[in-house]
Amino acid sequence: MQLLKDNWLVIWFFGIFFLELIFYHKNYVKRIEAKEHWKTNLLNFIATKLISIIFLISIVNLASKYSTHFLANLSPLISIVLSIFILDFAGYIFHRASHEIEFLWRFHEIHHLDEILDVSTSLRVHFLEAFFHTLVSCLVIYIFGIGQEAIAIHSLIAFVFATYHHSRFKLPINLEKILALFVTTPSFHEPHHDEDIKNNQSNYAFIFPIWDRIFFTYNKRTFQSSWKFGLSYSKDVNALNSLIKPLSKDGGK
């Protein structure tokens, strides 16, 4: 039982991963592009995890420690709820900026080059995108005085929804329509990974889709059979190049 408590996020991820293999991706297992896709996503996860352990976690803790402590001094429930909404909104702003600012797009592009959308796509975040996102989060944490407990809870919830809404594991359509009013779901997020810019510059939300509705970036269309995951102007890159490409002169193009 203790093993389950200590490793429930790992169990959650691999539970979805193997359900996808059984019900959705069983024809992909032997395909070369699927194996390359998983290898690329895993390498990006490892690189981002390393920079998080070495540097990013420490600066987040410092930002909280020396912050205004405004939200941290409120009652625990109010503090945590407000902090989650504020950090999620900051994530929406950063995500949208990553599509609209060329410098940030060169890193976020790596996530969108994935041509096989599944739960592992949620791990495909370039380490420098994670770095810049963390800097924005640190600023928000400092200004609003967000406590470390709230930061940890937000991180856990964000991971759960990032893995879920990138997955192929869908609920009955009527249930998912109701759920998508409140939180992000696979059907909500799918248009964002279409290769057509008209679709992929929409539905930016990480946890709460209300931000897209408020700021007119909500795309109510569901994924069509004629759509393709990835980017129309470029094929996917291999694992090593996914780390290097944003650092080259033609990164983001």
Side-chain angles (χ1 to χ4, degrees), residues 45-64:
F45 172 73
I46 291 171
T48 299
K49 196 68 176 177
L50 284 174
I51 194 174
S52 295
I53 293 170
I54 294 169
F55 180 61
L56 300 184
I57 293 174
S58 296
I59 65 170
V60 167
N61 289 336
L62 286 173
S64 179

Side-chain angles (χ1 to χ4, degrees), residues 200-238:
N200 65 41
Q201 290 198 341
S202 66
N203 295 11
Y204 296 109
F206 283 103
I207 302 174
F208 304 115
I210 190 173
W211 311 127
D212 286 294
R213 291 185 168 92
I214 291 174
F215 296 102
F216 308 107
T217 53
Y218 173 57
N219 185 347
K220 66 180 181 180
R221 301 178 71 190
T222 54
F223 201 81
Q224 309 295 313
S225 59
S226 59
W227 295 5
K228 293 181 180 179
F229 297 124
L231 293 171
S232 59
Y233 63 82
S234 176
K235 298 295 290 180
D236 198 2
V237 293
N238 63 35

Side-chain angles (χ1 to χ4, degrees), residues 95 111 117 165-166 185-193 203-205:
H95 190 185
H111 179 71
L117 188 68
H165 70 231
H166 282 96
T185 65
S187 293
F188 173 88
H189 195 67
E190 277 178 333
H192 185 71
H193 279 270
N203 295 11
Y204 296 109

Side-chain angles (χ1 to χ4, degrees), residues 62-112:
L62 286 173
S64 179
K65 182 178 179 180
Y66 294 103
S67 72
T68 62
H69 298 289
F70 172 67
L71 289 178
N73 287 333
L74 300 177
S75 67
L77 180 59
I78 293 174
S79 173
I80 290 170
V81 170
L82 288 177
S83 296
I84 289 170
F85 272 93
I86 289 170
L87 286 171
D88 190 56
F89 179 56
Y92 166 85
I93 294 297
F94 180 80
H95 190 185
R96 185 170 176 177
S98 294
H99 280 256
E100 297 178 358
I101 299 173
E102 186 176 347
F103 174 75
L104 294 176
W105 173 249
R106 70 193 298 123
F107 307 108
H108 188 56
E109 177 195 51
I110 299 304
H111 179 71
H112 279 270

Side-chain angles (χ1 to χ4, degrees), residues 8-252:
W8 71 272
L9 286 179
V10 176
I11 295 168
W12 165 264
F13 175 84
F14 281 104
I16 294 178
F17 181 81
F18 286 114
L19 282 172
E20 285 183 328
L21 287 183
I22 295 168
F23 294 107
Y24 300 104
H25 285 342
K26 57 186 177 183
N27 295 325
Y28 285 151
V29 177
K30 295 182 180 180
R31 285 171 49 183
I32 294 175
E33 55 263 43
K35 293 178 181 178
E36 187 65 34
H37 145 86
W38 288 325
K39 184 166 66 175
T40 301
N41 296 353
L42 179 61
L43 181 61
N44 276 272
F45 172 73
I46 291 171
T48 299
K49 196 68 176 177
L50 284 174
I51 194 174
S52 295
I53 293 170
I54 294 169
F55 180 61
L56 300 184
I57 293 174
S58 296
I59 65 170
V60 167
N61 289 336
L62 286 173
S64 179
K65 182 178 179 180
Y66 294 103
S67 72
T68 62
H69 298 289
F70 172 67
L71 289 178
N73 287 333
L74 300 177
S75 67
L77 180 59
I78 293 174
S79 173
I80 290 170
V81 170
L82 288 177
S83 296
I84 289 170
F85 272 93
I86 289 170
L87 286 171
D88 190 56
F89 179 56
Y92 166 85
I93 294 297
F94 180 80
H95 190 185
R96 185 170 176 177
S98 294
H99 280 256
E100 297 178 358
I101 299 173
E102 186 176 347
F103 174 75
L104 294 176
W105 173 249
R106 70 193 298 123
F107 307 108
H108 188 56
E109 177 195 51
I110 299 304
H111 179 71
H112 279 270
L113 281 170
D114 200 343
E115 296 171 348
I116 302 175
L117 188 68
D118 64 14
V119 66
S120 74
T121 307
S122 65
L123 307 180
R124 183 170 171 152
V125 178
H126 193 273
F127 66 93
L128 284 176
E129 178 182 359
F131 170 76
F132 291 118
H133 191 171
T134 301
L135 291 185
V136 171
S137 296
C138 284
L139 180 62
V140 172
I141 288 165
Y142 176 80
I143 292 172
F144 289 95
I146 298 174
Q148 293 184 11
E149 182 181 13
I151 296 168
I153 292 172
H154 168 263
S155 297
L156 293 176
I157 294 172
F159 178 82
V160 167
F161 278 101
T163 49
Y164 170 57
H165 70 231
H166 282 96
S167 77
R168 306 290 80 224
F169 190 69
K170 296 183 181 180
L171 298 171
I173 188 166
N174 289 332
L175 178 58
E176 188 163 329
K177 282 182 178 179
I178 296 171
L179 189 62
L181 295 173
F182 306 99
V183 294
T184 56
T185 65
S187 293
F188 173 88
H189 195 67
E190 277 178 333
H192 185 71
H193 279 270
D194 178 37
E195 65 176 9
D196 190 337
I197 193 171
K198 293 178 183 177
N199 290 316
N200 65 41
Q201 290 198 341
S202 66
N203 295 11
Y204 296 109
F206 283 103
I207 302 174
F208 304 115
I210 190 173
W211 311 127
D212 286 294
R213 291 185 168 92
I214 291 174
F215 296 102
F216 308 107
T217 53
Y218 173 57
N219 185 347
K220 66 180 181 180
R221 301 178 71 190
T222 54
F223 201 81
Q224 309 295 313
S225 59
S226 59
W227 295 5
K228 293 181 180 179
F229 297 124
L231 293 171
S232 59
Y233 63 82
S234 176
K235 298 295 290 180
D236 198 2
V237 293
N238 63 35
L240 185 58
N241 282 337
S242 71
L243 299 180
I244 298 172
K245 185 177 187 295
L247 307 177
S248 66
K249 65 179 181 178
D250 62 341

